[in-house]
Amino acid sequence: MARLFDRNMFIMLFAIMVGFITVTYFIADIVNQSEIDNLTTAHITEMEYIEKMNINFTNNFLESSVLLDTAREYRAFGNYHFDLASLFFTSALSERNTSIMESYKNITIDNCTKAMPKYNISSLNFKTASSFFNNTKKYTEYGGYLKLLDLYINLTESGARLTMLRYNASKYLKYLTENITVINGSAALDTVSGLMDLFNETMGMYGSELDIYEGYEEEIDEYDIEGFDPNRES
């Protein structure tokens, strides 16, 4: 009878141990699976965040670049008209024939008038592009991108100054042209020395700013050669 009791007791204890081990295993498995699920969720959330940042970075960078290209395009139009105006201004001053001189004056004034709004639009686009490039910095922590964006911000700020200097130069050149007259049989400027000083000073400032602008362009070109890729993770 004692043996039977011992045997039954052993079987019961063994069953309890097996059950305890089984329950422990399942509990551990559930805990591990929960931890894995939490890690997976966190990883997916992080990846989604990185992907969203990359998309926003790329979109903002492209929008900024489009504005920059537009600013450059209008600046080129302005330069075309300003160069023509400068050419015919010089021709008008050297012309002895009154009718031809008046024709050159009209061409000069017309091109100055056309150049000014082009420079104004260009300057506005440079300023907007600068704001967009600055906003793009919110979507990356990568130092290489931040450095490049700073270069673009400097470039667009310089471009805005550059085009407004040419806007002012176009305005002064127009006023100067309107004062060209015939004195003693030759074309000359009639008492506008102060205006000429303003024009020359503005052109000097333009030349200095142009060096700064082209310096930033060179830095950006060199940086691109080093392998800038807007789609790389920050």
Side-chain angles (χ1 to χ4, degrees), residues 39 115 119 144 151:
L39 289 172
Y119 285 131
L151 287 174

Side-chain angles (χ1 to χ4, degrees), residues 67-73 75-76 79 122 126 151-163 165 205-221:
L67 288 166
L68 175 58
D69 288 342
T70 302
R72 285 169 164 165
E73 183 177 358
R75 176 173 173 255
N79 286 345
S122 177
F126 273 123
L151 287 174
Y152 273 109
I153 291 169
N154 291 336
L155 175 71
T156 49
E157 289 177 348
S158 177
R161 293 190 296 269
L162 195 67
T163 46
L165 285 168
M205 293 170 63
Y206 174 84
S208 298
E209 191 64 49
L210 182 61
D211 289 339
I212 295 172
Y213 179 85
E214 291 178 342
Y216 287 132
E217 282 188 318
E218 290 178 5
E219 285 190 69
I220 290 172
D221 288 342

Side-chain angles (χ1 to χ4, degrees), residues 112-138:
C112 286
T113 302
K114 290 178 179 178
M116 290 166 66
K118 302 299 183 184
Y119 285 131
N120 187 49
I121 294 172
S122 177
S123 181
L124 291 174
N125 275 277
F126 273 123
K127 290 177 180 178
T128 306
S130 178
S131 178
F132 270 62
F133 278 123
N134 189 56
N135 186 63
T136 304
K137 294 171 70 175
K138 295 190 303 186

Side-chain angles (χ1 to χ4, degrees), residues 94-106:
S94 62
E95 183 57 52
R96 293 180 176 273
N97 184 294
T98 303
S99 62
I100 295 177
M101 182 194 71
E102 288 297 329
S103 174
Y104 289 166
K105 283 178 59 176
N106 290 334

Side-chain angles (χ1 to χ4, degrees), residues 165-177:
L165 285 168
R166 266 293 174 89
Y167 175 93
N168 290 334
S170 300
K171 179 175 62 177
Y172 297 144
L173 185 60
K174 179 181 177 181
Y175 294 158
L176 285 169
T177 304

